[in-house]
Amino acid sequence: MLKGIHPALSPNLLKILAEMGHGDEIVLSDAHFPAHQLHSNVIRADGLTIATLLEAITPLFEFDQYVDAPLAMMAAVAGDTLDPTVEESYLAAIRQINGDVPKVERVERFAFYDRAKQAYAVVVTGELAKYGNIILKKGVTPVYQP
C-alpha cells in the first residue's frame, strides 16, 4: 500500500498509467465490454465502478488539453436510449477532484470498438450500467515541483 494512492488502483493499473504517453488512451469498460476480444492489454478491476476508478485516476492523470474532447463515451444504438445518470456520475467523480470537467464526445458503437483496439489498455470493471464505457486521453503531465 502506498500513501496518497487510492486503494482502488492496483499495482498493474498504476504501471499502465505511468507508461502511457501524451495522446495515449485508456478505456474504462463496463462488465459487458468485449475487452479480451478487442485488446491484448486488459486489466481486471472487477467489483469496482467506473466512477470509483475515475476518482482514483483523476488526481494522477492529466487530460489532453490539445484535443476538443479528451473523454469519449459510447453513443446509444438507434432505437436505444442513454441513462443520463451514468455520464453525470462519471463527470461528478472527475469534478470532485479537478473542479472542472473536460468535454465528452459520444462515439458510435463500432467506432468506439475500433478506437478501443488502438488504446494503450482496457480496464474491465464491475460497472453494470448500459453504455457505461469511457475512454480517457492522456495529456502532458505538468513538471513536478516539490
Side-chain angles (χ1 to χ4, degrees):
M1 185 60 95
L2 294 173
K3 201 167 132 179
I5 301 293
H6 195 288
L9 293 177
S10 69
N12 195 25
L13 182 50
L14 281 171
K15 176 185 177 289
I16 293 298
L17 293 170
E19 288 174 349
M20 290 174 65
H22 172 250
D24 282 341
E25 295 184 330
I26 188 165
V27 179
L28 304 183
S29 79
D30 62 33
H32 310 288
F33 194 77
H36 293 278
Q37 176 191 6
L38 297 174
H39 212 287
S40 61
N41 195 6
V42 177
I43 301 159
R44 302 298 304 200
D46 300 290
L48 295 175
T49 65
I50 290 177
T52 298
L53 276 181
L54 286 168
E55 288 175 18
I57 291 170
T58 299
L60 308 175
F61 193 94
E62 193 70 32
F63 295 105
D64 194 336
Q65 60 274 37
Y66 298 114
V67 296
D68 186 43
L71 304 176
M73 293 184 72
M74 193 179 288
V77 173
D80 215 348
T81 59
L82 295 173
D83 177 353
T85 64
V86 175
E87 183 175 326
E88 289 168 14
S89 71
Y90 294 177
L91 299 183
I94 294 169
R95 189 178 297 108
Q96 176 182 329
I97 304 302
N98 273 6
D100 63 343
V101 179
K103 185 177 176 186
V104 179
E105 74 174 301
R106 287 287 175 173
V107 179
E108 184 272 333
R109 177 181 170 207
F110 292 104
F112 191 96
Y113 290 156
D114 287 342
R115 193 161 161 184
K117 290 176 187 176
Q118 302 303 313
Y120 193 83
V122 177
V123 181
V124 179
T125 70
E127 183 66 59
L128 296 177
K130 194 172 183 182
Y131 300 108
N133 312 296
I134 188 167
I135 296 174
L136 315 177
K137 183 181 276 289
K138 190 173 184 184
V140 176
T141 305
V143 176
Y144 175 71
Q145 307 230 344

